[in-house]
Amino acid sequence: GVLHRNYYFYAGQTMTKLHYDLNVPLSSSSSSSKRQREAHSYQRRLHQLGYGEIAFCHTAYGRLNLTKDDANVALPWKDILIANKPSENDNNAPSSSNNNSSATNSSFGRRSSYRDSSSSSLLSGRKMQIYRRLNIVLEEASDVSRLLLNNDVSVSESSSSTSTVRELFQGYDIISLQPMNEPTLKAVCELMLSSSSSSPSTTTSNNNIRCIDIIVLEYATGSRGGYGLPYKLRKEYVR
């Protein structure tokens, strides 16, 4: 499902309601030009509907692949940002020289240069904030510990790179896990619970648990083919 929320800002004396959508799927297998057209179309449409912030989402399955799942490969800034010519006083517009800069040095999200001053939407004349999200679908409990605990191993066993899961995560603004069965959900919840009782310095240095922002509960794949969770949501998983 789509994760979206509302927030408010004051324009003069008027409080205006805005929206943000943190799950805008974008295919990483499409060509650069097609992905760019889709991303720009989503931005314009959502801007007209009053959305102020959106996250383009790349979905990975199980074990991560350093090449395919890298943020600058799956969701390169040069494709997902609308790069209108910035004005001289516009310091927030991305330049062509930093659209694919190292993710570890980038700030949280980026502002698109797109503005529609003629639009009647609530965001008329305002820029849209863009984020990159990685959603990882988990079907094996062993993949949970591999992702969250083994910070010193390479992302893919078939890769000769020494890059770690942590470095891959740092390329994205939002990381979400989507457990598809009860064993994977239990493994995720147990590790998240153990991290909350550990000191931040110890947890951050030894694993990737604190990199996780969202746990996705998939209601569209019920156990009988209908809507509903494919497993029971036990009280010990939610605290």
Side-chain angles (χ1 to χ4, degrees):
V2 175
L3 177 65
H4 60 88
R5 293 291 184 269
N6 304 324
Y7 64 95
Y8 299 83
F9 75 96
Y10 283 90
Q13 299 298 320
T14 304
M15 186 171 68
T16 305
K17 180 180 179 182
L18 301 181
H19 311 278
Y20 62 91
D21 190 334
L22 299 182
N23 186 18
V24 181
L26 201 61
S27 174
S28 60
S29 61
S30 302
S31 64
S32 177
S33 58
K34 181 179 180 181
R35 182 169 50 205
Q36 190 176 72
R37 289 195 300 270
E38 290 178 351
H40 294 185
S41 177
Y42 284 139
Q43 285 181 62
R44 291 187 175 96
R45 180 56 177 162
L46 290 171
H47 187 278
Q48 293 172 354
L49 293 174
Y51 284 81
E53 302 183 18
I54 63 172
F56 286 111
C57 184
H58 167 65
T59 298
Y61 296 85
R63 299 181 182 182
L64 300 177
N65 181 283
L66 175 64
T67 302
K68 296 196 311 181
D69 298 322
D70 182 88
N72 289 327
V73 174
L75 298 172
W77 287 120
K78 66 181 180 63
D79 287 352
I80 65 177
L81 291 180
I82 297 181
N84 288 345
K85 183 178 180 181
S87 64
E88 294 180 358
N89 297 325
D90 191 351
N91 296 323
N92 291 322
S95 64
S96 58
S97 62
N98 67 4
N99 277 350
N100 277 325
S101 61
S102 174
T104 56
N105 296 325
S106 66
S107 59
F108 184 66
R110 297 194 181 185
R111 287 202 179 277
S112 173
S113 294
Y114 175 68
R115 281 179 177 160
D116 185 5
S117 58
S118 62
S119 172
S120 60
S121 78
L122 299 175
L123 287 174
S124 177
R126 294 174 61 88
K127 292 183 179 181
M128 178 176 282
Q129 186 81 6
I130 308 297
Y131 306 103
R132 299 192 292 190
R133 171 178 169 180
L134 173 63
N135 182 56
I136 307 172
V137 178
L138 298 168
E139 296 184 346
E140 300 290 338
S142 60
D143 288 337
V144 176
S145 58
R146 178 181 294 272
L147 283 171
L148 300 185
L149 295 181
N150 297 337
N151 185 44
D152 295 328
V153 300
S154 63
V155 175
S156 173
E157 292 180 349
S158 61
S159 174
S160 60
S161 173
T162 58
S163 295
T164 63
V165 174
R166 173 78 60 83
E167 292 171 335
L168 185 73
F169 282 177
Q170 288 175 335
Y172 291 89
D173 302 298
I174 301 171
I175 305 294
S176 61
L177 300 181
Q178 183 176 328
M180 298 302 294
N181 51 55
E182 189 166 347
T184 55
L185 176 65
K186 179 180 179 181
V188 169
C189 292
E190 287 179 346
L191 287 175
M192 297 291 281
L193 180 61
S194 66
S195 72
S196 64
S197 60
S198 303
S199 64
S201 59
T202 301
T203 305
T204 302
S205 61
N206 293 337
N207 55 56
N208 307 305
I209 297 175
R210 292 186 181 274
C211 297
I212 306 305
D213 303 295
I214 299 171
I215 297 178
V216 179
L217 302 180
E218 180 55 75
Y219 276 83
T221 54
S223 58
R224 298 182 180 179
Y227 289 99
L229 288 174
Y231 46 78
K232 292 182 179 180
L233 188 61
R234 303 181 187 278
K235 64 180 181 179
E236 57 264 29
Y237 300 158
V238 182
R239 300 193 179 186

